[in-house]
Every structure is written in C-alpha cells, then in structure tokens.
Amino acid sequence: MATDFWASSHNKRWIVDRATLKQARAEDLQYVHSPDHIDLLNIYFANLIGMLGKKLSLRQRVIATATVFFRRFYVKNLYCETDPFIVIAACCYVAAKAEESPVHIKNVVSESRLMFSQEGYGVKNFPSDNSKLAEMEFYLVSDLECDLVVFHPYRTLLTLCGRESACALDTEAGEVGVGIDSGPRYWGTGEGRLELEEGPLQTAWFIINDTYRSEICLLYPPHMIAIAAIYLTLVLNDKTREAIQAQGAPVPPPRRSSRTTSGSAHRKSAPAQQQDFVGFMAGLRVSLPTVAMIAQEILSLYTLWGRYSDTPPESGLGGNGAGEHSGGDDVVTPAFLTQLLLRMREARLADLAHPASGQPVAVNKRLERTQAAG
Amino acid sequence: MDAVERANADRQKKWVKDQKVGEGTYAVVYRGRELATGRKIAIKKIKVGQFKDGLDMSAVREVKYLRELHHPNVIELLDVFSSKTNLNLVLEFLDTDLEMIIKDRSLVFLPADIKSWMAMMFRGLEFCHRNFILHRDLKPNNLLIASDGQLKIADFGLARDAADPGYKMTCQVITRWYRPPELLFGCRYYSTAVDIWSVGCIFAELMLRTPYLPGESDMDQLKTIFRALGTPTEEEWPGHTKLPDYVSIGQFPRTPLRDLFTAATADTLNLLSKCIVYEPRKRISAKDALNHPYFFALPYPTHPSKLPKTIAQTTAAASRPLDEVDGNVDLNSGAGPGATAAGTAPPKKLKRKLSGHDTSRNIARKLDFTAA
C-alpha cells in the first residue's frame, strides 16, 4: 500500500505475461493427466493459505499478500520439486511480518502442522522444527528478490465504491492518513465515485478474495482486477442489473453526455438506484476489453472451482461462487490433490534418477525417508 | 543450478566484497565495489545465522522499503542477492553522516549550510511521507552524506506504513532525544508528525552544535522538553492528559526560542517552532515545510558540493573505517540513548555461525534430489 504503484516493484517486476506463466508450469504439466489439475492445485493452495491465515488471525490483506508471495515463488519454482506446504507456511509468516502484524514462528509451525495433518489433507511430514520454516523463509525472501510490498485491489474498490463511512463498514477499509487534514483530497468529494450499497460492496470484496485462487494477481494490475470485480458485481446483482437494463432501454445516451451525468452534481441529487453505471465504467478511462477479459477469467475460475470440493468444512470467505456450478467433470478433493502432488513428486524423482542420458543420479536419502513416512 | 540460482549468481558476480567495516544487531557491513566500474559500494549482509527465529523484523522492514524508494535524498539500494545462507543488500557508498559533521569542531556552519541540509532532509522526508511511510528513527546519525554533499535518509529498520485508522502502532520508536512528546506519553495512533518533531530537533542541533533535548531517561526526556518549551496547556495540546502514559511532570514556563537561538532569523525560528509544536496535528507537514518562507529567504541554501566536509571526507576516505555507512551499525554505542539499537553481537559468535553454515542447511529450497 505504501509507495506509488507505477514506480513499484510490483508493477515493474511482478506483473508477468501468460507466456512466462506457461513456461513456469511447463515441467509440472508433464506430470499431470489434465492441465486442469494444475489450476485446481492453485485453488487448493490458496484455500490452504486462507485457512492458515484465519487460524493465525491474520487480516484479509495479509492473507492476500501471502497468496501473492506464493504465486510469485512458483513463477520461479516447480510444484513437483518443492514442498508447497512449507512454502505456504513461510508465505504466511513473511506476509505477516511484511504487513506489520508479525506472528511468532512457533505459532506458524504448530498451526500449520495441526492443519495440514488433518484427515482431509493428509500431509504427515510437516516439520516441527522452527529452523526449517526459517530456512524456507530465507529461500522465499531471496526468490522474491526482497520485493515485499504488494498492492491489492481492495483499496481501489473502496476508493471507487466505498462509502464515506467505509471504515465503520469494514475494518480493512479507510484511507491512510486520516489525521492529516491538510492538502487536497480527491476522496470524500464524491467525484468519480460509484456508491454501492453494503451488499454489492461485499460481493465485490468477495470476488476480489476469490481472484487470488487463480493466477490473475500475477497477470493484471490490482486496480484492473478491482474494476473487473465491480463490473461483475453490477452485472450479477439483481437490482443494479435491472437499473442498467432500464438505462439501456431508451436510446443509449452518447458517450459525452454519459460522462457528464456521472459528475458529482448528478450524484447528489439522485438516489443510489439511479446512478449511471455505464457512465461510471466509461468514465474510468481504463481498457474495458481488459476488464472484460479479467471478468471472463474470474468466471472461468468459478467454473473450475465448481469441481473442487472441500471435505473439511470450508471456513467463511469465498463460499459464494463455489457450489453454484456443481456437476461437470470429476469432483476433486484436497486429499486427492495432496496425493496428486506426491505422485508428481515421485515421478519427477524417478525422471531425475533415470535421466534420458542413462546416467543415474544419486538420490537424496532424506527425501526418500520423508516420502516413505508420508 | 536452475535458472533462479543462475540469475542470483549473475547478480552476485557484479559486486566485489572487500573488508568488513562494521557490525550491527542483524547485519554486517562490508565495503566493496562494482566490478565493472570500480564504483564504491557498501554491502550489508543480513545475518540469518542458523535459521533460529527467522528474519529480523528490522531487516524485513528495511529491505521492503528500500526496494521501493528511489529518491536523491534517500539511500539507494542498488541490488539484492543471496549467498549461501545470507541475504546481501548492495547499497550506495556514503562517506559520512550528519552526526560526524556536527561533532567536527573544526567546521563552521553558515546559516546557508544549515538551510541546505534542512532542504535535503525535508525533500527526502516529504518523499517518504508522500508514500505513507513513517521513518520513525530520524537522527543525525541516520542522515548520511554522500561525497557530493547530498544528504540521504538511511536506516529504515523502524520504518512502516502509516497504519490504517484504528490500528495501533508501537510507541517504542525513535531514539529518545528525537522522540516527540506524544510517543513519550504512550500514544499508539500517530502520523507523519512524529518524524517532523525529530527533524525539528535536528534543525536545532545544527544551530546549537549539541543535542537540543538530551534527556537521560524517558521521564527526564519529557522534563527536558517541557523545560525548553514550557509545559503544554490543554489549550495548546487538547487531550494530551488523556494519553495512556500521561503523567504530570510539573509546570515549566515557556521561554521564547529567541533566548536560546540568538543568531537565528525570524523565518528560521518560525519554521523551527512549527516543527516542534506540541499538538501533532498542528505540526507542519514536510510538504508545507518545503514551501516555508525560510527556504526562499536570503541567504539561499548552499550548493551541496560546497557544504562543510569532515577531514576524512576531503582526504579521500580511503583508509577510514566506514562504520557509519549505515545507521544500524552502531559502533559508537555511547553516542546516543539507542531506543532502537540493541547490543552489538560479539564477533566471535558470528564467526562460528558463519563456519557452521554447511550443517545448518537442512531443507533445500527445492527438494534436493541430487545432493549426495
């Protein structure tokens, strides 16, 4: 949240293109039957981070940061060559520190152990030693190249759609530097804002939470993701959709006038239902095709997510969206995914031990042991 | 070696580490140079040791902010690489700090010199504050001076984002002599104004050539402040008696700043007094300070290259130890009451740690299939 996004490491180094992501997953893909499995793993791991974060009572933003760290780490690493579970723990640990709400390393280790060893996950070899996590933290931070400031769509959402009382609505909300009265402020003036009711605002917030289950956070800048979430909210919410359709029924107003109606004068006189949603979107002056693309990706994430079933009770957030698209292909459970990961790892091990060159490579003894145990 | 390791090794090869020049609680500082150009740099090696408790919070903070901040008046982090079990920060090399300059009695400061330093200080600070970053440890020792005279804010080990409203921050920050009264009273919700108080203290110190408000303990610090500026009234600072750690210190009369700063101009005293206003919300912001008449009045600020230099600086600092290259490296621990700096770790211990790195590497970044 600090610093200027355009000058930030997030914008300069960590918005990657699809080709990079494809390359990052290329080797993992050799070890799975269906490419969907990789995306399902993405959902699975994001869920785990969310749940571990909740256990450690981290705020939503810290969980989001941890998830972004996780995704960034796997731009450079393979699922089949690393232990994602300890990476998850390390991401939560580092994110908590980076977001100024540190948790003791011991808590992270014990909570992770407890959670991962549950029936549904079947991860039995999570280390009990603090130093293992600390070591993973070191690899994580160095692979992140020490870029620990992450921007999130939440702030954009609240800036564009939050109420003046946004702080009361949600503790995550609020602008920095409320104590500072001096200087010009564009927020609070109502200029260029769309006032959403609490319900739709929550929906948009949850959609943003859900985007972390895919690689969207690596592909697009956060403000675009926020706008896509607002767009989906407007379309999905009955009331706002009707309003948009009612607007569309008469002759669609020319662009110029739609922009002027979105001005603050109009806002003050009109109640929330009569807001000019189309004008608001147009007035944002961002690439609407990109917004549509992100929205499409969010929708396909939901479709895929329908195949994912959490046998252990899913805690709170992101429950919406799931279940809507039940049916389809085979249903995938966390236990299955853990097994899948172990199979990938074994296959990778076998490949490395018997490379095409025919020269066997010495295999790490310790890994064999842990796999025998797991 | 995979692509990630190769990229790291490539980065590492660009820099040469020379001798060790200082050591702090969580880092060792080396002098070094860029291989291609011979440009002088400082390498700060963050000790990870045997991975006992993870990275130090100060290290996380410093790295986090320096990676993002790029400004002529903020120390530049040139590169980051990891070696074995250490994180290495490559920082620009800086000759000296403002504390050394203040202490060097052979130097004479003109009002224009002070104005120049203040302008650079406010510029750097305004950049931090514009990005919602509180430095929380401003003191002359953390204001480094480059060979071209530019002042650079360093040591972001205590820095943090301004918290969202309603989130508490610790009040145990800022070295005592530069700590504002609201923090001494245990205020947990504060803003950029805490840094402005520190700047005010440094401003006064530049004129006096000795620390302005040197308290011996937290309680004595309040007394020192009140003795200098008078006990605040409820009118001057509404609500201060309700702060968590408020104690009544006694009544001290307000003495005009003019009595102490006899040679200062009216503009100078006006800016100073605005930096050390009791009520944090009324303290001047860095941005407003830059627009203060003080900076536009004669004499104009000295060009950085013409500012007073320590002898060490002028005689090409070749042989001088660089212990002050970073404020975290607190060799002269008697210098100030370090609210932040814990004791310096004995070097012996470090050596053992470093030699033991082979055994400490228990898990691999990757599951290690090939290691014997």
Side-chain angles (χ1 to χ4, degrees):
Chain A
M1 76 184 228
T3 74
D4 170 7
F5 173 75
W6 302 108
S8 70
S9 58
H10 187 157
N11 184 39
K12 285 183 174 158
R13 287 190 282 271
W14 293 104
I15 301 284
V16 300
D17 56 15
R18 220 161 263 290
T20 311
L21 282 184
K22 200 173 168 202
Q23 200 181 6
R25 290 283 77 81
E27 287 196 65
D28 282 331
L29 277 169
Q30 294 173 3
Y31 299 100
V32 291
H33 298 301
S34 144
D36 284 354
H37 284 167
I38 294 289
D39 296 327
L40 286 163
L41 279 175
N42 285 340
I43 296 178
Y44 175 39
F45 294 137
N47 282 353
L48 286 180
I49 293 173
M51 278 186 275
L52 182 59
K54 282 267 142 69
K55 284 263 173 62
L56 296 167
S57 38
L58 301 178
R59 301 163 59 191
Q60 183 57 42
R61 202 181 67 213
V62 185
I63 293 172
T65 302
T67 319
V68 174
F69 286 168
F70 184 84
R71 300 265 178 255
R72 288 180 181 181
F73 181 80
Y74 281 106
V75 171
K76 296 181 166 191
N77 292 280
L78 300 180
Y79 282 138
C80 62
E81 274 193 353
T82 52
D83 182 353
F85 299 99
I86 195 161
V87 178
I88 285 172
C91 285
C92 287
Y93 181 50
V94 176
K97 281 199 266 192
E99 298 282 353
E100 294 288 343
S101 45
V103 192
H104 199 276
I105 189 163
K106 237 191 256 164
N107 292 349
V108 183
V109 170
S110 59
E111 287 294 347
S112 316
R113 256 181 87 77
L114 199 68
M115 204 181 89
F116 295 147
S117 63
Q118 276 170 18
E119 195 78 11
Y121 305 121
V123 182
K124 296 196 184 74
N125 55 353
F126 194 87
S128 57
D129 191 357
N130 293 355
S131 65
K132 300 273 165 47
L133 182 60
E135 191 176 346
M136 191 64 235
E137 178 195 28
F138 169 72
Y139 299 126
L140 175 65
V141 171
S142 52
D143 276 6
L144 293 174
E145 294 171 44
C146 296
D147 294 329
L148 302 179
V149 174
V150 179
F151 289 77
H152 295 295
Y154 302 112
R155 192 161 291 274
T156 311
L157 172 67
L158 292 170
T159 310
L160 290 176
C161 300
R163 295 274 180 85
E164 273 314 275
S165 58
C167 312
L169 178 77
D170 195 303
T171 45
E172 306 268 341
E175 302 296 341
V176 176
V178 146
I180 307 163
D181 302 318
S182 60
R185 299 162 44 123
Y186 72 91
W187 58 81
T189 58
E191 199 71 44
R193 286 167 61 113
L194 179 73
E195 252 186 49
L196 284 184
E197 282 173 53
E198 195 167 326
L201 189 62
Q202 285 286 359
T203 310
W205 186 281
F206 286 143
I207 291 175
I208 293 174
N209 286 352
D210 294 343
T211 59
Y212 288 99
R213 287 176 170 79
S214 71
E215 284 168 328
I216 294 175
C217 57
L218 291 175
L219 289 166
Y220 302 101
H223 65 279
M224 295 299 282
I225 298 172
I227 293 167
I230 294 170
Y231 167 65
L232 279 179
T233 306
L234 292 178
V235 174
L236 294 173
N237 185 273
D238 291 336
K239 249 196 195 162
T240 51
R241 189 177 53 224
E242 276 162 26
I244 293 171
Q245 278 163 352
Q247 245 176 25
V251 185
R255 269 192 87 167
R256 220 176 325 126
S257 76
S258 74
R259 199 170 299 147
T260 46
T261 47
S262 74
S264 55
H266 175 73
R267 179 81 10 85
K268 272 169 204 148
S269 59
Q273 284 91 337
Q274 287 164 25
Q275 288 185 99
D276 178 9
F277 299 114
V278 179
F280 166 77
M281 292 302 283
L284 289 173
R285 304 229 194 161
V286 294
S287 157
L288 291 180
T290 312
V291 172
M293 183 125 84
I294 299 171
Q296 201 57 55
E297 281 187 40
I298 296 174
L299 290 178
S300 55
L301 164 70
Y302 284 138
T303 312
L304 189 71
W305 196 355
R307 286 174 55 195
Y308 177 89
S309 143
D310 244 336
T311 5
E314 158 96 64
S315 59
L317 52 91
N320 64 331
E324 276 173 26
H325 306 272
S326 53
D329 309 67
D330 49 331
V331 172
V332 170
T333 61
F336 168 81
L337 289 168
T338 307
Q339 282 308 312
L340 172 74
L341 195 71
L342 287 177
R343 277 202 306 276
M344 285 167 69
R345 200 183 281 171
E346 268 163 39
R348 177 70 173 173
L349 176 65
D351 273 7
L352 285 180
H354 306 284
S357 65
Q359 275 252 305
V361 182
V363 168
N364 187 351
K365 292 258 163 54
R366 189 166 25 78
L367 183 77
E368 273 186 336
R369 270 208 307 280
T370 53
Q371 289 198 325
Chain B
M1 197 190 265
D2 65 17
V4 180
E5 286 163 19
R6 215 159 34 236
N8 181 58
D10 286 347
R11 283 206 304 276
Q12 186 170 359
K13 267 186 231 144
K14 278 163 55 188
W15 314 102
V16 184
K17 197 185 280 182
D18 294 335
Q19 76 272 33
K20 175 174 160 183
V21 290
E23 181 166 354
T25 40
Y26 69 89
V28 187
V29 178
Y30 297 85
R31 159 216 287 279
R33 66 202 136 83
E34 187 174 11
L35 195 60
T37 60
R39 169 189 183 185
K40 282 195 287 184
I41 48 137
I43 295 183
K44 188 166 177 177
K45 191 167 84 178
I46 293 176
K47 302 176 203 167
V48 186
Q50 286 180 309
F51 299 121
K52 257 210 216 113
D53 293 316
L55 286 174
D56 192 281
M57 191 67 190
S58 314
V60 170
R61 281 172 171 153
E62 175 143 46
V63 142
K64 176 181 158 193
Y65 291 117
L66 289 183
R67 277 300 262 180
E68 307 290 332
L69 294 175
H70 303 284
H71 187 274
N73 296 115
V74 173
I75 190 168
E76 180 88 16
L77 178 63
L78 300 165
D79 203 354
V80 180
F81 63 87
S82 55
S83 61
K84 289 171 198 149
T85 59
N86 292 295
L87 280 182
N88 293 269
L89 314 184
V90 182
L91 295 156
E92 64 179 321
F93 178 88
L94 298 163
D95 294 309
T96 184
D97 63 52
L98 202 56
E99 188 183 9
M100 305 276 285
I101 293 189
I102 291 172
K103 280 189 174 159
D104 188 336
R105 288 287 161 183
S106 64
L107 302 176
V108 177
F109 297 174
L110 300 172
D113 300 337
I114 295 175
K115 196 173 286 189
S116 178
W117 282 314
M118 290 309 294
M120 292 189 278
M121 208 183 299
F122 273 124
R123 251 180 247 141
L125 192 61
E126 190 273 330
F127 178 74
C128 297
H129 288 180
R130 194 197 312 159
N131 289 306
F132 303 116
I133 294 166
L134 313 181
H135 184 280
R136 305 200 300 178
D137 197 19
L138 288 175
K139 52 181 175 180
N141 183 250
N142 283 341
L143 300 169
L144 309 189
I145 310 287
S147 51
D148 62 356
Q150 282 287 346
L151 179 147
K152 314 224 173 205
I153 298 177
D155 191 354
F156 283 74
L158 278 173
R160 64 161 294 164
D161 296 344
D164 287 343
Y167 281 87
K168 282 185 178 179
M169 297 184 271
T170 173
C171 56
Q172 293 299 312
V173 289
I174 307 189
T175 305
R176 190 189 302 126
W177 297 348
Y178 306 92
R179 200 183 301 162
E182 67 265 27
L183 294 186
L184 291 161
F185 280 143
C187 184
R188 308 290 302 274
Y189 306 96
Y190 50 85
S191 71
T192 50
V194 295
D195 286 335
I196 299 295
W197 179 279
S198 310
V199 171
C201 294
I202 297 165
F203 192 9
E205 187 167 338
L206 283 169
M207 292 187 270
L208 299 170
R209 301 296 289 269
T210 177
Y212 178 41
L213 301 166
E216 275 157 25
S217 62
D218 286 3
M219 192 54 75
D220 187 56
Q221 184 65 35
L222 278 166
K223 220 181 252 180
T224 312
I225 293 171
F226 292 170
R227 223 179 273 134
L229 302 168
T231 308
T233 61
E234 188 62 27
E235 214 165 66
E236 275 179 293
W237 186 6
H240 74 279
T241 54
K242 307 240 166 38
L243 289 173
D245 300 343
Y246 175 77
V247 275
S248 175
I249 301 285
Q251 290 301 313
F252 295 97
R254 188 180 187 88
T255 47
L257 287 174
R258 168 68 59 207
D259 292 3
L260 186 58
F261 302 93
T262 45
T265 64
D267 281 334
T268 313
L269 289 188
N270 185 281
L271 178 58
L272 175 61
S273 66
K274 283 184 171 162
C275 293
I276 49 176
V277 171
Y278 279 124
E279 160 71 280
R281 276 166 292 191
K282 287 194 191 133
R283 237 169 264 159
I284 195 166
S285 70
K287 192 178 167 201
D288 290 344
L290 284 172
N291 288 316
H292 192 274
Y294 167 70
F295 290 112
F296 301 95
L298 287 169
Y300 294 136
T302 313
H303 190 273
S305 61
K306 303 246 165 43
L307 283 169
K309 286 188 168 77
T310 56
I311 298 165
Q313 249 177 309
T314 42
T315 56
S319 59
R320 206 175 54 82
L322 310 170
D323 44 27
E324 72 288 346
V325 80
D326 193 311
N328 290 317
V329 183
D330 203 65
L331 282 192
N332 42 352
S333 50
T340 63
T344 321
K348 236 191 293 171
K349 213 172 157 192
L350 174 83
K351 256 184 203 136
R352 190 174 51 74
K353 269 187 195 166
L354 285 179
S355 58
H357 68 80
D358 290 325
T359 51
S360 70
R361 193 165 182 161
N362 286 323
I363 61 158
R365 177 170 64 86
K366 303 206 302 185
L367 296 166
D368 199 352
F369 295 122
T370 50

